[in-house]
Structure formats: C-alpha cells, structure tokens
Amino acid sequence: MHSRIAALARAAALAAACILAAGPARGADTLRSWNTGPTKSAVVQFLRDVTTPGGPDFVPPEERIAVFSHDGTLCPELPAPAELAFLMDRMRALAPKHPRWKSKEPFRSALARNMKALAAAGTKGVMELEGAATGGLTTDEYAAQVLRWLEKGRNPRLARLYDQSALLPMLELLDLLRAGGFTIFIVVRGDAAFLRPWVEKTYGVPAAQVIGSGLRTKFTAQKGTHVLVRRAEFDLMDDGPGRPGAIYRAIGRRPIAAFGNADADMEMLEWVASGAGKHLVLLVHHTNGGNEFAYDRKGTFGRLDRGLDAARRQGWTIADMTKDWNRFFSKPGK
Amino acid sequence: MHSRIAALARAAALAAACILAAGPARGADTLRSWNTGPTKSAVVQFLRDVTTPGGPDFVPPEERIAVFSHDGTLCPELPAPAELAFLMDRMRALAPKHPRWKSKEPFRSALARNMKALAAAGTKGVMELEGAATGGLTTDEYAAQVLRWLEKGRNPRLARLYDQSALLPMLELLDLLRAGGFTIFIVVRGDAAFLRPWVEKTYGVPAAQVIGSGLRTKFTAQKGTHVLVRRAEFDLMDDGPGRPGAIYRAIGRRPIAAFGNADADMEMLEWVASGAGKHLVLLVHHTNGGNEFAYDRKGTFGRLDRGLDAARRQGWTIADMTKDWNRFFSKPGK
C-alpha cells in the first residue's frame, strides 16, 4: 500500500512540475483577454523570469507573493465600491431606528448617497459606517448578511451583480500567477471581513489572504456557545504610506508583484518596486467608458494622479484598458 | 501540447486525491512518536471524520483551518521562550549604550534575566523589549539579526538550538494535518516578525501564517530605496479573551482544530470548541521533566491551571507527554 502511495506521490509531483514548467510558456494563452503588445509581454516575461529554475532571476516559490488592490484593480469601483453600496443599503434599512444619523456625518452622506462626501470621508468614514451599521452582529451573522446582500447587490451602471463584476483580464492574471506558484493577497481599504465570505468563489483566493481594516470584536458567551461580536471600534489600515506596513504586518515579507490603480496604492507599489530582485509593478488605467469607466486623474473613488506620473517616470507597467484589453467580463451582466 | 498538459493535470489531481484519501488511514503511521491510546486515536479519528467525502462530519478543504500556539505547544518554553532569550542577549549587548535600562522595567529584569519578573510583565513586556532592543532596524535587518542569533541560540537546559527544538510529536501532527488538506496558523504572543524568518524551515508553515503582536513600522526612503523601519510602538495581541478576536482578524474564520498548552490559550480553545461542526481541541500537558519539562499549574511561562480543569470538564483532548509520547525530538541535541 505504501509503495503505491509513494509512486502516486511521485507521479503527482512530476505532473505538478510539468504544469508549473509549462505555466510561463502558456502565459500568452492564459491571458486571452489581453491584446498582444508590450504590457502583456511584460507580464509573461516576468513570470518566465522568476519561475525558470537556474535562471538569473529565479525566485523560490515561498517568496512568490503578489498583492492586488481590490476596488478598481480586480473589479470596478464606480459608482461606489461594493462595501459602500452594502453599507448604504443597510443604513437605509436601519435609519428609522437611528434618527440622529440624519444630522451626523458620515451617516448623513451615506443616507443621501452623496458619493463625493463619502469619498472624502475616506477609509475612516467607511469603518465608521461599518461600526454603526454592523456593530452588535456576531461575525457569523455579519458574513451571512453580506452573502445575502450579494444575491441581489448590483452595480447600477454596469447592471451586474457585484460578485460577478470581477474584471476578466485580472482573473486571468490571478490564474497565471497561481500556475506560477504565487501566493496571492488582496488588499482592501475597508473591512477585510466584508470580502472574506466571497473572495474564494469570486477570485479563488482563500479568505485568510485578505488584508484590510477591521472592526474590533468582543469574545462572549451567548446561548451556551462562544461568539465574536462586532464592536463599533476599528483598526484602520491607513492608505498610502501606511499600506506597506499593513502588508508587512500581515504577511511578513515584501511581495515581488503588486497591482494597483490609484494614488492610495502608490507607496505599496514603490515598496515592491524597491525590492532587490526581479519584480512586477502594474497599474490598471481606467480608460474605457464604454465597457467600464474612464476617469484617472478625476476619479471620485480611485483617483489616479500622482500614480500615473510615477508609473511613467519609474517605468512601471500600465495596463490601459482600451489598448490592452479585448474583453472585460466573463459573462454578460444580469 | 495542451492535451498532454491536461492529461498530466488530471493525473496530478487523481494522485493528489489518492494521497489525501489515504491520509487519514495513514494517521497512525505518521504519528510514530505517539503511543497507541485514546489521545492518538482521537486525533486520527478527527482527521478521518473531517476528510471522508460524503461522511456526516466532512469539512470542505477551505474550512480546514488549524491554529497552534507556539511556545510550549510546538516547542519547549522553559527556561524562556526563544524570543525572550533573543531579546535578553541583544539587550545585554546594547546595554552599555543605554545606562537607563538598569533602573527601568522591564529592561532591568531583562538584563538581570529575572524570568519571574519577565513572565509577570507579560506580552506587553516582551513588546516593550522588542521596541527598545530592535526599534530603528529595518524589517530586513531585523530578520537577518534573528537568523544570525539562531545559528548559536541554544536552549540552555536542553542543550539544543532553538530552531531544532520543535517537539517531534507536534511536527508529526503538522504533517498529518497538512496531508489532510489543512491550512495551519501559528499563534504567538510576542512579535510575529520574530518567528517568520524561520517557521518555514522549522515547521513547514509559510511565514504569512503566523499570527501575533507586532511593532509598528515607518515607510521611508533610504539610500535610494524604500524600506520599513521598526518603531518602538506596538500592536498588542492580547492573551486570553483577546486571542479569538486576533485570530479572526487575521484569518476571517473560526478554526476547526486548536492546539494549546496554557491558560492564555483557554479562550482560543473555547472558541474553537464552540464551532458548529466537528472539531479537535487539544492541550499539551508538560509532564516529563526527564525529556522536557514538568510544570503545569506552577509554570513560570505557560502556566496551566484553569485550562487543565476546563479540558477535563469539557472533554478536550489532553496530550500527556509522559503517557502519550515516546520520542521528543527528531535529532540529538547539539
């Protein structure tokens, strides 16, 4: 029995090695929604460089870490990121019980769906809304509520369910990196707990591999069992200069690939670009109002101003949606 | 070419499935250092229950999460946990430059190697020492320093390098869980960054899968590159009631298996024991002064008092080192 298992293990290892070795060569095929050109070539070349055993840029698998910003990089973030849409819906439902919300920020802006004010309230604003709208729920109740909301939660401009709004070219990129032995982390400004119930199904990324802010919880006995109750207090993941520290705090390593789309991602990209070995730093540039959105320097959410200049100055890879992509979503919206 | 890859992929998947299916059956063999008896049987039975497809207790792989307390569970924690030994050595070297340490706690106790006082200073004390002794280093410098220290850092009572002090029965348990598709997290009271440089080699656990306290960092430009500099400020992972929240914050899920050895682990174990499905909760009981240590209710570090009563009352599994283990370390000490 044992020798049969050992033989199978060897077969599995061999097959896995073949698949991995074939991975980079298959890069161009996996990235079907990417047009042939320098952007696609840069990605495929990077994969080949870091996964070629014995090559000068080979990186051992445990150091193949990639970080993806979520909103605006893996999915659209206009007219509002999914978490904010969830919070606005929930607050509207709860508003009758909270008359003071009408006169207090950022609750007032959430009830009025004032995107500009909500964008200005930043991550702290999102977490204040999370605290007000979901504090007191157990962590299990919160996850269930997020999943229930996602059954109908729809991006109004794209007429598409939020959990079916992942950008297809980015999903292909995740597949390619995984085939190359990468571990992938998703970085979100708001509450990591909002993404965790659905990232596995949507992106194939384990729930534990989400980095973000969080509500504090209280460990408490309830109905003969023990639960964690969400409190209206939070640990904030700062944008910009705070982001590299938050990523390091979560994973203990500098990633070798980073994907972002906004000025808030700048320092994360700079940090990865400062790594000693081969690295890939890519900015998603929203240039396609027909299929998605076009905004860059003027975005309400995901403003890309400093980042675009830095990318050009420092030679980061820019994925221009119009030039570089030929398909945006895997299924028609519904 | 593609059909060959597809065929190999199918072969790999099949082989992996066979190995996984064989995993639980092999349990008794993998746990070679465990004596036959109810403790070993409980572990093997749990693995079989949660990994048998179609069985009433089957748990899908993404929910197979196990958490292990580090000091005292995966390795000895007497006369002092490795991190504290590292800090005491480093502070002794730096002391001439810091005359005030002689008169200020917890620095004074660290210089005097006063274990009782250091134990009383708790996790906060450890993090204050980390801040004083390693603040100002870049995260890369810190990791290099930890690795350099480990080349000679030796548990004085066991005459054994710290990174060769992992308890063999626990290493076997990690292997068994991994073969059963589990994702493993290590929980440490002190600075997660202390363990990360060496957990992969010692335990086969990726660096990102360590949960603990941490020094805050500052993102800064230095010599034309960007680095993270450790600051003398910290995020504390509270013991006891704070621990389930810290684990949830890091991984977003309630684990289904938890391994601890001290009262500080109690709430973590209670939380896992409160899960709706099948779970395994195990306490390592230090009863063997000949091969390791014997202390339980009187431990300087890792005191087990409430936990032992709770385990007996609630039917948790207790691994009694003397009764349940026949071998403690994989290699002779050196």
Side-chain angles (χ1 to χ4, degrees):
Chain A
M1 178 66 180
H2 260 192
S3 69
R4 202 182 123 231
I5 290 170
L8 280 167
R10 276 195 302 275
L14 179 69
C18 292
I19 290 164
L20 276 186
R26 282 184 316 157
D29 295 341
T30 304
L31 300 181
R32 278 186 206 92
S33 307
W34 294 71
N35 294 324
T36 302
T39 308
K40 182 171 178 170
S41 297
V43 172
V44 173
Q45 186 60 47
F46 166 74
L47 256 288
R48 189 174 294 143
D49 290 344
V50 299
T51 59
T52 302
D57 295 314
F58 180 76
V59 174
E62 66 271 22
E63 294 174 22
R64 293 183 205 156
I65 308 273
V67 282
F68 284 79
S69 182
H70 185 251
D71 300 299
T73 298
L74 288 174
C75 64
E77 63 190 327
L78 292 185
E83 183 181 10
L84 209 43
F86 161 75
L87 288 168
M88 289 189 292
D89 284 354
R90 185 167 162 88
M91 297 201 76
R92 184 167 290 189
L94 295 175
K97 285 188 194 159
H98 300 271
R100 289 183 54 210
W101 285 355
K102 274 189 199 161
S103 53
K104 203 177 167 200
E105 290 297 351
F107 315 116
R108 182 182 145 148
S109 292
L111 292 174
R113 295 183 174 262
N114 180 344
M115 299 305 169
K116 216 168 164 179
L118 287 173
T123 308
K124 186 159 172 284
V126 172
M127 294 310 294
E128 282 173 342
L129 298 180
E130 281 283 3
T134 71
L137 296 176
T138 67
T139 53
D140 290 340
E141 287 165 351
Y142 175 74
Q145 203 159 90
V146 168
L147 289 176
R148 211 156 46 232
W149 179 82
L150 283 170
E151 288 170 14
K152 296 186 182 175
R154 209 175 287 272
N155 182 311
R157 230 293 257 109
L158 300 170
R160 176 176 289 281
L161 291 171
Y162 282 104
D163 64 355
Q164 290 173 21
S165 295
L167 293 161
L168 180 59
M170 300 307 287
L171 292 179
E172 292 169 355
L173 206 46
L174 294 175
D175 282 343
L176 185 66
L177 288 165
R178 268 189 293 259
F182 272 76
T183 303
I184 289 157
F185 290 86
I186 295 179
V187 180
V188 68
R189 296 145 54 114
D191 195 333
F194 176 79
L195 283 192
R196 282 178 161 145
W198 53 289
V199 283
E200 289 188 60
K201 208 173 138 207
T202 301
Y203 302 109
V205 171
Q209 289 162 213
V210 177
I211 302 169
S213 303
L215 283 198
R216 298 203 180 126
T217 54
K218 186 176 161 58
F219 181 66
T220 178
Q222 191 181 89
K223 296 175 197 157
T225 183
H226 289 92
V227 294
L228 289 170
V229 177
R230 289 166 66 82
R231 292 162 57 200
E233 274 179 44
F234 48 83
D235 293 313
L236 198 64
M237 186 183 74
D238 292 323
D239 282 341
R243 194 164 294 186
I247 294 169
Y248 173 79
R249 178 87 179 80
I251 67 181
R253 259 209 182 102
R254 189 196 303 245
I256 65 164
F259 303 82
N261 73 295
D263 284 356
D265 303 323
M266 273 276 292
E267 285 81 358
M268 171 180 93
L269 302 175
E270 276 176 338
W271 184 45
V272 172
S274 293
K278 195 90 183 172
H279 50 259
L280 175 66
V281 169
L282 185 147
L283 267 177
V284 174
H285 190 192
H286 294 262
T287 56
N288 197 306
N291 286 306
E292 204 247 7
F293 297 96
Y295 49 98
D296 66 44
R297 296 181 197 268
K298 301 179 299 291
T300 309
F301 295 98
R303 182 188 167 91
L304 183 64
D305 193 2
R306 286 193 305 136
L308 213 48
D309 296 334
R312 285 171 183 153
R313 200 170 52 237
Q314 304 186 34
W316 297 345
T317 303
I318 298 180
D320 180 314
M321 289 189 165
T322 300
K323 278 194 216 153
D324 290 315
W325 293 358
N326 56 55
R327 213 177 146 200
F328 283 67
F329 300 102
S330 63
K331 294 177 204 166
K334 61 169 186 180
Chain B
M1 178 65 180
H2 260 190
S3 68
R4 202 182 124 232
I5 289 170
L8 281 167
R10 276 195 303 275
L14 179 69
C18 291
I19 290 164
L20 276 185
R26 283 185 313 158
D29 295 341
T30 304
L31 299 181
R32 278 184 207 93
S33 306
W34 294 70
N35 295 324
T36 303
T39 307
K40 182 171 180 170
S41 298
V43 172
V44 173
Q45 186 61 46
F46 165 74
L47 256 287
R48 189 174 293 142
D49 289 344
V50 298
T51 58
T52 302
D57 295 315
F58 179 76
V59 174
E62 66 271 22
E63 293 174 23
R64 293 183 205 155
I65 308 275
V67 281
F68 284 79
S69 182
H70 184 251
D71 300 299
T73 298
L74 288 175
C75 63
E77 63 191 328
L78 292 185
E83 183 182 9
L84 210 43
F86 161 74
L87 288 169
M88 289 188 294
D89 285 354
R90 185 166 162 88
M91 297 199 76
R92 183 167 292 188
L94 294 175
K97 285 188 196 160
H98 299 272
R100 290 183 54 209
W101 284 354
K102 274 190 196 161
S103 53
K104 204 179 167 199
E105 291 295 351
F107 317 116
R108 182 183 146 148
S109 293
L111 291 175
R113 296 184 174 260
N114 179 343
M115 300 303 170
K116 216 167 167 180
L118 287 174
T123 308
K124 187 160 171 282
V126 174
M127 293 310 294
E128 282 172 343
L129 298 180
E130 282 282 5
T134 72
L137 297 176
T138 67
T139 52
D140 290 341
E141 288 165 350
Y142 176 74
Q145 202 159 92
V146 168
L147 289 176
R148 209 155 47 231
W149 179 82
L150 283 170
E151 287 170 16
K152 296 186 180 174
R154 212 174 285 271
N155 182 312
R157 231 292 258 107
L158 299 170
R160 176 177 288 281
L161 291 171
Y162 281 105
D163 63 355
Q164 289 174 20
S165 295
L167 293 161
L168 180 60
M170 300 307 286
L171 292 178
E172 294 169 355
L173 205 46
L174 293 176
D175 282 343
L176 185 65
L177 287 165
R178 267 189 293 259
F182 272 75
T183 303
I184 290 158
F185 290 86
I186 296 180
V187 180
V188 67
R189 293 146 56 114
D191 196 333
F194 176 78
L195 283 192
R196 283 178 161 145
W198 52 288
V199 283
E200 288 187 62
K201 207 173 137 208
T202 302
Y203 302 109
V205 172
Q209 288 162 214
V210 176
I211 302 169
S213 303
L215 283 199
R216 299 204 179 125
T217 54
K218 186 175 162 58
F219 180 67
T220 179
Q222 193 180 88
K223 296 175 200 158
T225 183
H226 288 91
V227 295
L228 289 170
V229 176
R230 290 167 67 81
R231 293 162 55 200
E233 277 178 42
F234 49 82
D235 293 313
L236 197 64
M237 187 184 73
D238 292 324
D239 282 341
R243 195 162 295 187
I247 295 169
Y248 173 79
R249 178 86 179 79
I251 66 179
R253 260 211 181 101
R254 189 196 303 244
I256 66 164
F259 304 82
N261 73 296
D263 284 357
D265 303 322
M266 273 276 292
E267 285 82 357
M268 171 180 92
L269 302 175
E270 277 177 336
W271 184 46
V272 173
S274 291
K278 196 87 183 176
H279 50 259
L280 174 65
V281 169
L282 184 147
L283 266 177
V284 173
H285 190 191
H286 294 261
T287 57
N288 196 306
N291 288 305
E292 204 247 8
F293 297 95
Y295 48 98
D296 67 43
R297 295 181 198 268
K298 301 179 299 291
T300 308
F301 295 98
R303 181 187 166 90
L304 184 63
D305 193 2
R306 287 192 306 135
L308 213 48
D309 296 335
R312 284 168 182 155
R313 199 170 54 236
Q314 303 186 36
W316 297 344
T317 302
I318 298 179
D320 180 313
M321 288 188 164
T322 300
K323 276 193 216 156
D324 290 316
W325 293 358
N326 57 56
R327 212 177 147 200
F328 283 68
F329 301 101
S330 63
K331 294 179 204 165
K334 61 169 184 181

